[in-house]
Amino acid sequence: MTLRMPLKSLVAVGLLASASVLAADTAKPPSAPVPLLWKVSDKDNAVYLLGSFHLLRPGDYPLSAEVEAAFADAERLMFELAPEEMQSPAMPQMMLQAALRTDGRTLQQELDAATWRRLEGWAGKNGMPVVSFNNLEPWFVGLTISIVEMTRQGLDPKLGLDNHFMDKARAAGKPTAGLERAQEQIGVLDGMEATEQRQFIVEALDQAEKGSAETERLHRAWRRGDAEELWNGMAADMKRQYPRLYRRINVERNDAWVPKVQRILTQPGNDDALVVVGALHLLGEDGVVEKLRDRGYRVERVCSSCALSGMSGNE
């Protein structure tokens, strides 16, 4: 659960971004986003890995011809969660049930005074009574802050790349599956240690206080296909400041997904797949791309415009 999104936006949204509604951005951008798309191959099969922004705008479509070609080539699609779970109306209730406190304490008692004051300020700014959070665990409150900020700033989960390809696969009759189950994803959040949960809420408040400029920067970087800037903006800072949180929501999940992607590559026949996950999960040395490259697979970035922009096609 995205970009600090993979989790925060993905589950409502899952784990890897938000952007502001600026007048200049209401017009359709002049070109399709440069894709964060890699092709992983063995002698028989290929898996396309596509980095998602979980919430997008109408102007982020249509997608590039390369992404459309990858979808056309794929016999099946995989997502962080299977569509029937991701799009289920029961999902929010499952999350809320998991988030209810059972320890007899309140959120205010768990948080330090400075963080509670920041939460009070955020809640007041958004017309919410802060006491309504008292019977909830910090991870759920952090997720709530992130979702409110994203939607208020103009990004729509219904337009996210995940939902787009879920709908597209359904219309084309292509089978779909998830890399993890909803309960597993919720468990990543709910199973965080108390320290990690407090870090999670502080991270959400940090991002909210940075406002639209930060998320707009990340959205522009995603549109440019700028893997380096996204890594630095989404992951490097979290890895440095909150290493245990970073490991739980990113590294451990990536490690669990890699064998599932490998099974597609090693099965007999020619059954290519498109895997759509939060961009964070593909980037950097901990990302699925490098983990598969380290296992000896041929990995190439599919990006005809990268050379023109000065970006490495293999970054």
Side-chain angles (χ1 to χ4, degrees):
M1 315 60 26
T2 289
L3 298 165
R4 310 267 167 109
M5 222 175 59
L7 257 194
K8 294 175 184 174
S9 62
L10 139 93
V11 209
V13 198
L15 346 266
L16 284 271
S18 51
S20 58
V21 184
L22 302 178
D25 203 48
T26 57
K28 183 177 177 179
S31 60
V34 176
L36 290 162
L37 179 65
W38 286 263
K39 184 178 181 180
V40 184
S41 308
D42 67 2
K43 61 182 181 179
D44 297 317
N45 301 327
V47 173
Y48 297 93
L49 302 172
L50 179 62
S52 171
F53 215 74
H54 295 300
L55 295 87
L56 289 173
R57 299 172 173 146
D60 291 317
Y61 294 92
L63 301 173
S64 71
E66 293 157 320
V67 172
E68 297 295 350
F71 174 80
D73 190 39
E75 281 78 32
R76 56 181 164 138
L77 285 82
M78 294 188 76
F79 304 92
E80 296 184 34
L81 293 181
E84 57 267 25
E85 289 196 307
M86 173 94 169
Q87 298 178 331
S88 169
M91 180 72 165
Q93 186 59 39
M94 290 170 59
M95 294 180 64
L96 180 60
Q97 189 63 38
L100 292 175
R101 301 186 70 93
T102 59
D103 60 0
R105 303 178 68 213
T106 66
L107 180 66
Q108 184 175 7
Q109 289 171 330
E110 180 172 357
L111 299 180
D112 62 79
T115 302
W116 180 256
R117 284 195 299 271
R118 292 176 70 190
L119 180 59
E120 279 186 310
W122 182 88
K125 180 180 176 181
N126 288 278
M128 300 179 187
V130 71
V131 293
S132 65
F133 294 134
N134 250 335
N135 67 333
L136 298 172
E137 295 183 5
W139 68 262
F140 188 86
V141 178
L143 182 63
T144 300
I145 293 168
S146 296
I147 294 170
V148 169
E149 291 295 316
M150 292 172 200
T151 55
R152 187 181 65 184
Q153 294 171 352
L155 293 173
D156 186 347
K158 293 179 181 178
L159 296 177
L161 219 57
D162 316 77
N163 273 315
H164 172 79
F165 279 107
M166 288 177 183
D167 295 341
K168 197 173 175 70
R170 187 180 300 114
K174 297 191 177 191
T176 58
L179 290 163
E180 58 194 10
R181 300 298 304 272
Q183 288 289 5
E184 291 175 312
Q185 194 173 88
I186 294 171
V188 170
L189 293 161
D190 191 43
M192 286 192 289
E193 296 179 0
T195 299
E196 294 169 325
Q197 290 203 35
R198 290 192 290 270
Q199 289 176 347
F200 192 78
I201 199 171
V202 169
E203 269 281 275
L205 288 167
D206 286 347
Q207 291 302 306
E209 290 169 4
K210 289 179 181 178
S212 62
E214 173 72 6
T215 50
E216 183 68 15
R217 181 180 67 82
L218 292 174
H219 179 255
R220 286 196 302 265
W222 179 84
R223 282 193 56 88
R224 291 196 310 273
D226 192 335
E228 183 177 359
E229 182 166 348
L230 284 171
W231 167 255
N232 290 329
M234 293 189 298
D237 183 59
M238 182 190 290
K239 184 176 183 178
R240 182 173 59 254
Q241 294 191 52
Y242 308 109
R244 292 169 64 187
L245 177 61
Y246 170 83
R247 179 165 188 81
R248 186 169 186 87
I249 69 173
N250 191 52
V251 178
E252 292 178 3
R253 295 170 74 216
N254 293 351
D255 287 343
W257 294 352
V258 166
K260 299 178 182 182
V261 176
Q262 284 186 281
R263 280 200 288 272
I264 302 173
L265 292 164
T266 56
Q267 67 186 8
N270 185 18
D271 190 10
D272 296 344
L274 173 62
V275 178
V276 184
V277 297
L280 172 62
H281 295 288
L282 302 182
L283 306 179
E285 62 185 5
D286 299 318
V288 173
V289 170
E290 287 304 315
K291 288 179 183 292
L292 288 168
R293 184 178 277 129
D294 289 344
R295 284 161 175 75
Y297 292 101
R298 182 160 56 89
V299 180
E300 57 185 319
R301 184 164 178 191
V302 183
C303 180
S304 60
S305 60
C306 286
L308 297 176
S309 65
M311 291 187 293
S312 167
N314 293 317
E315 66 181 356

